[in-house]
Amino acid sequence: MRHTLAVLVENNPGVLARVAGLFSRRGFNIDSLAVGRTENPDVSRMTIVVEGDDRILEQVTKQLHKLIDVIKISDISPEEYVDRELVIIKVHSDPARRGEIMQVADIFRARIVDLGRKTITLECTGNNGKINAFEESLRPYGIKELVRTGKIAMLRGLRFTSVNGQKDDD
Amino acid sequence: MKMNGAQILVQGLLDQGVDTIFGYPGGSVLPIYDALYDANIRHILVRHEQGAAHAADGYARASGRPGVCLATSGPGATNLVTGIANAYMDSVPMVAITGQVPSALLGRDSFQEADITGITMPVTKHNYIVKDVKELAMTLKEAFYIATTGKPGPVLVDIPRDVSGGTMDYEDPGPINLPGYRPVLEGKEEQLNKAAAAITDSIRPVIYAGGGVIGSGAHQELKRLAELLMAPVTTTLMGLGGFPGDHPLYLGMLGMHGSRYANYAVCESDLLIAVGARFDDRVTGKIESFAPDATIIHIDIDPAEIRKNVRADIPVVGDVKIVLNQLLPRLEAKLSGAWQQKIDQWKKEYPIGYEEDNDKLKPQQVISAIYKATRGQARIATEVGQHQMWAAHYYTYTRPRSFISSGGLGAMGYGFPAAIGVQVACPDEVVFDIAGDGSIQMNIQEMATAVNYQLPVNVAVMNNGWLGMVRQWQELFYNRRYSCTELVNPDFVKLAEAYGASGIRVTRGADLKPALEEAIRNSGPVMLDFVIEREENVFPMVPPGESLGNMIG
């Protein structure tokens, strides 16, 4: 089963290496990892998607906790949450097929961010499934280049994950 | 007050109560050595940085205080790595300080540059590179705090030369703030109650105690627990001395080279109380058939150890000493019964022993003689191999911190420098390094250190001309194809004398006693070359991958 972990870490140099190294040496598989600063400049937030059963998840969580720079770990998978990935795709496009591609973009609410003589570049955000579908829809036109981020995620509603604890705000 | 980084480092060490460090100078630590020149800290100059790390480790294990080692950048730092990994595996509080090339040269493959924080990331509890002299005092304070609290472990602090040489107006770093580090020390009420209920219901309990008992100083609580429940106690290699070896409830070690009665007791127990132990593969044998009928209570400071290797029915996370003190008042005394009789029967049927032969020299006999000659009061360090197991079986450890051995990492070359650290920590005690002829040569250069400081460490080499444990496995599992395990050795007596130490060779059982008495009387280091029976094996043994109940030998 896939789990989405929200991991708050101290914004110290080397923290990404510590986390990545831990996963590789303990034999845990990372499906995706995204990291960036939070509202607090001293704290970064990693969203880690990890594949494994309950025993593996328990070990991942506990081993992560042993890293001094890791402040808090929440498995948000069982909760209601919003998750997004971003993809930028450059597709081969003769002027004749531009309209078709723009229709695909419309369906996925993607945006055109660049236009070349024979290419068109689109960006799209969404959850994993949508991004995969978007990629598949563009594949017949000839994907020249593709880059996508790891997933970022946040709990819905009044529930939140912060340094001071995950709690109901009401 | 204006101070440079090196002076701040020395001040920080003094503030932490450090009076001894083990180290080796070099270019990137010149400012630090300059500050040490007139500091009130004893510096033991080793002959190889690995020796410094192991000596600091031995010092820590014997004294309970953090060990400190110091090395220069690049090769100095990488030479510490085995010693750091060793301390990490056995949860020994240690602070390793390394010099680093100046910040401006970092990342340029500069002379004697090595990314030691990168290299030691998986083998330290935490590590730091200090980029600004203003951060040094706080970093050092955090390093000692992390190394000594929770589950202890090594912390490395890498200090570029411009930081140790840089100056600032020194001020106290203030309180530590580590939001990501809050060790849980007290057991949860709910878990304690569950554990107490399981203990009350049990008929065939076994206590399985590890190094955590010694680390947290819980040996008295453990003894009270065992006596209250009349429960037999088996220890891991790391737990030796955590429970009196001469106690009637003691079962000896369990696992691959445990006693038959300890392993049988675990196999038949209905309740296993794991106290500060981590179910290492050398302890459990085949996991699927480990303690098949037992409810397992697992008391450990490290939540990640719970269910890492073996199921835990009732985990209690916390400091072993605190948890046992929480648990004891919830328990009622039990009486000795059929279970204890069964164990006593096993003890009679399957004693650990050997046949004595006064014309030859058996390694077991040597260890027994060391036990007698030291009246069981010595601090025993060991290297790794057959001699280590014999030292575990045939010396009776009655107090904590008296058996100092590389358990998790199994690092040959550990024992001698560790014994030096032990002797520095305990100057008035008799210290032995029980060694093999292979292991001793891995850090033999430290004989110069022992002579230099006239540390009366006794090195007892079990000399069989083999890498004995590997030979034993080749004999048992590889058809006696002795690939690369036979050793051509130096003359250990002459070698000791060349270093300025004393050497004594013993070839017959009859000569054991006088040789040991002479060594113990000697006020300097002594190398004892025990020419032992060549193909003696360590038995009993659980073959790799087998269940604990299936022992051979």
Side-chain angles (χ1 to χ4, degrees):
Chain A
M1 180 182 166
R2 279 217 173 87
H3 295 269
T4 301
L5 305 180
V7 182
L8 294 171
V9 299
E10 292 215 55
N11 196 6
N12 289 339
V15 64
L16 183 59
R18 287 181 205 280
V19 170
L22 173 74
F23 274 80
S24 72
R25 76 174 172 274
R26 298 262 176 201
F28 306 139
N29 288 322
I30 302 183
D31 270 16
S32 94
L33 188 155
V35 56
R37 255 185 32 195
T38 61
E39 72 283 3
N40 176 350
D42 295 332
V43 176
S44 287
R45 176 159 165 158
M46 294 182 180
T47 306
I48 304 176
V49 182
V50 56
E51 173 87 44
D53 57 21
D54 287 350
R55 200 192 69 88
I56 289 183
L57 185 77
E58 181 180 342
Q59 268 298 304
V60 168
T61 309
K62 287 174 167 177
Q63 294 292 349
L64 276 173
H65 259 304
K66 285 175 74 169
L67 298 177
I68 309 290
D69 286 338
V70 170
I71 303 167
K72 189 176 172 60
I73 304 157
S74 324
D75 179 7
I76 65 172
S77 323
E79 317 263 343
E80 289 292 316
Y81 65 94
V82 190
D83 64 321
R84 288 292 180 269
E85 291 177 30
L86 165 67
V87 68
I88 303 176
I89 305 182
K90 189 180 287 176
V91 222
H92 180 80
S93 156
D94 291 326
R97 311 200 72 168
R98 229 176 245 170
E100 239 178 276
I101 293 170
M102 284 164 72
Q103 274 184 349
V104 173
D106 257 359
I107 293 167
F108 286 95
R109 293 187 195 166
R111 289 173 29 182
I112 294 158
V113 288
D114 188 44
L115 209 53
R117 219 156 41 82
K118 287 189 170 176
T119 60
I120 182 162
T121 306
L122 306 111
E123 68 157 61
C124 183
T125 60
N127 64 21
N128 190 275
K130 177 182 164 187
I131 301 294
N132 288 344
F134 181 57
E135 184 187 331
E136 282 312 308
S137 307
L138 291 174
R139 194 173 294 284
Y141 301 98
I143 293 173
K144 296 289 208 190
E145 200 177 341
L146 181 151
V147 56
R148 65 194 277 182
T149 63
K151 163 164 131 176
I152 57 171
M154 187 179 278
L155 290 171
R156 286 185 183 274
L158 290 170
R159 312 248 316 141
F160 60 88
T161 300
S162 79
V163 176
N164 300 320
Q166 191 184 95
K167 55 187 178 185
D168 282 313
D169 204 19
D170 48 7
Chain B
M1 193 173 84
K2 259 295 193 244
M3 283 169 91
N4 73 12
Q7 291 164 327
I8 291 167
L9 172 68
V10 167
Q11 187 57 50
L13 292 174
L14 290 169
D15 290 347
Q16 294 296 331
V18 174
D19 55 13
T20 307
I21 64 177
F22 302 86
Y24 202 96
S28 296
V29 283
L30 276 166
I32 297 174
Y33 273 85
D34 191 59
L36 283 171
Y37 189 68
D38 40 21
N40 193 17
I41 293 178
R42 186 181 191 200
H43 178 277
I44 305 287
L45 175 67
V46 294
R47 296 306 189 268
H48 185 294
E49 289 89 349
Q50 189 185 338
H54 288 327
D57 174 311
Y59 177 92
R61 292 193 209 212
S63 68
R65 298 191 297 271
V68 181
C69 55
L70 169 62
T72 193
S73 63
T78 56
N79 278 345
L80 292 178
V81 172
T82 301
I84 293 171
N86 188 66
Y88 183 68
M89 289 289 263
D90 288 347
S91 306
V92 176
M94 180 196 284
V95 174
I97 296 157
T98 48
Q100 182 55 279
V101 300
S103 311
L105 294 180
L106 275 172
R108 300 187 188 196
D109 303 318
S110 311
F111 177 65
Q112 292 195 330
E113 180 185 359
D115 172 15
I116 197 62
T117 47
I119 289 169
T120 58
M121 219 170 252
V123 295
T124 48
K125 189 171 171 187
H126 194 51
N127 64 21
Y128 297 90
I129 178 163
V130 185
K131 294 280 183 69
D132 184 337
V133 66
K134 292 190 181 67
E135 292 165 8
L136 181 58
M138 179 50 102
T139 302
L140 202 67
K141 194 169 172 180
E142 287 180 7
F144 276 89
Y145 177 67
I146 292 168
T148 54
T149 53
K151 180 181 192 166
V155 178
L156 179 134
V157 181
D158 195 26
I159 308 175
R161 205 172 73 175
D162 55 313
V163 172
S164 54
T167 54
M168 66 173 280
D169 281 321
Y170 178 76
E171 48 193 290
D172 187 90
I176 287 172
N177 175 28
L178 292 167
Y181 181 66
R182 295 197 187 100
V184 174
L185 300 179
E186 284 179 23
K188 281 201 184 121
E189 292 288 314
E190 188 193 345
Q191 296 305 95
L192 289 161
N193 290 336
K194 277 190 202 162
I199 290 170
T200 305
D201 290 346
S202 72
I203 303 165
R204 301 185 305 279
V206 171
I207 298 171
Y208 148 50
V213 169
I214 294 167
S216 79
H219 50 283
Q220 279 158 344
E221 287 79 4
L222 177 67
K223 188 159 167 256
R224 275 167 52 208
L225 178 72
E227 288 173 348
L228 186 70
L229 306 176
M230 287 307 287
V233 178
T234 178
T235 65
T236 64
L237 186 77
M238 300 309 302
L240 286 177
F243 189 77
D246 52 3
H247 197 285
L249 287 169
Y250 188 54
L251 294 173
M253 279 199 303
L254 79 167
M256 179 172 277
H257 287 299
S259 66
R260 275 181 192 269
Y261 38 92
N263 284 346
Y264 290 170
V266 170
C267 287
E268 295 204 9
S269 69
D270 69 348
L271 177 74
L272 191 67
I273 310 170
V275 186
R278 62 183 180 83
F279 298 91
D280 181 87
D281 54 278
R282 285 295 192 266
V283 157
T284 60
K286 189 176 174 186
I287 291 265
E288 296 75 32
S289 50
F290 177 75
D293 304 327
T295 299
I296 295 179
I297 298 173
H298 191 179
I299 303 170
D300 204 288
I301 184 93
D302 181 359
E305 290 301 341
I306 308 296
R307 286 191 280 269
K308 187 181 77 181
N309 296 337
V310 166
R311 72 189 192 279
D313 302 293
I314 306 168
V316 188
V317 173
D319 177 85
V320 166
K321 188 182 171 91
I322 294 171
V323 169
L324 290 184
N325 276 321
Q326 288 175 295
L327 189 58
L328 280 163
R330 293 164 209 250
L331 302 173
E332 278 176 30
K334 290 196 174 205
L335 296 173
S336 189
W339 176 232
Q340 286 73 14
Q341 282 166 17
K342 189 165 193 182
I343 285 167
D344 288 341
Q345 188 59 35
W346 280 329
K347 282 188 177 177
K348 282 199 197 90
E349 252 175 86
Y350 309 107
I352 287 193
Y354 63 98
E355 284 165 32
E356 212 159 310
D357 184 341
N358 259 347
D359 289 330
K360 289 181 186 157
L361 200 55
K362 293 252 180 148
Q364 301 93 328
Q365 187 183 354
V366 178
I367 310 288
S368 300
I370 295 173
Y371 175 68
K372 282 184 205 126
T374 57
R375 291 185 293 279
Q377 294 301 304
R379 305 261 184 176
I380 305 290
T382 80
E383 310 285 342
V384 171
Q386 287 184 312
H387 66 272
Q388 180 186 29
M389 294 299 117
W390 288 317
H393 286 156
Y394 296 99
Y395 199 101
T396 305
Y397 303 92
T398 53
R399 56 183 181 143
R401 305 190 180 283
S402 58
F403 179 74
I404 314 281
S405 192
S406 169
L409 192 67
M412 290 171 71
Y414 168 76
F416 187 30
I420 287 173
V422 173
Q423 189 76 77
V424 168
C426 314
D428 302 323
E429 296 190 44
V430 175
V431 177
F432 268 80
D433 170 36
I434 294 177
D437 48 322
S439 287
I440 190 60
Q441 294 182 71
M442 285 208 176
N443 273 316
I444 190 77
Q445 76 287 343
E446 297 310 324
M447 189 55 92
T449 309
V451 170
N452 191 157
Y453 297 95
Q454 279 300 298
L455 300 166
V457 173
N458 302 292
V459 182
V461 181
M462 303 296 127
N463 184 355
N464 56 11
W466 291 107
L467 295 173
M469 187 59 97
V470 183
R471 189 208 58 77
Q472 176 173 340
W473 282 52
Q474 288 173 334
E475 177 189 331
L476 298 174
F477 313 119
Y478 289 88
N479 249 336
R480 297 175 190 261
R481 287 158 54 85
Y482 294 138
S483 179
C484 307
T485 38
E486 191 160 19
L487 294 177
V488 174
N489 284 322
D491 180 326
F492 288 112
V493 171
K494 281 189 190 161
L495 189 60
E497 287 167 359
Y499 274 110
S502 307
I504 307 172
R505 178 165 299 117
V506 182
T507 55
R508 297 185 320 142
D511 300 335
L512 271 170
K513 195 168 172 242
L516 285 165
E517 281 169 359
E518 188 188 332
I520 293 166
R521 258 199 321 272
N522 194 312
S523 59
V526 179
M527 176 103 84
L528 291 142
D529 181 17
F530 294 108
V531 182
I532 57 165
E533 180 84 356
R534 288 205 71 200
E535 302 199 356
E536 192 70 20
N537 284 334
V538 178
F539 286 129
M541 174 180 192
V542 179
E546 287 284 343
S547 307
L548 289 189
N550 300 335
M551 299 196 81
I552 56 171

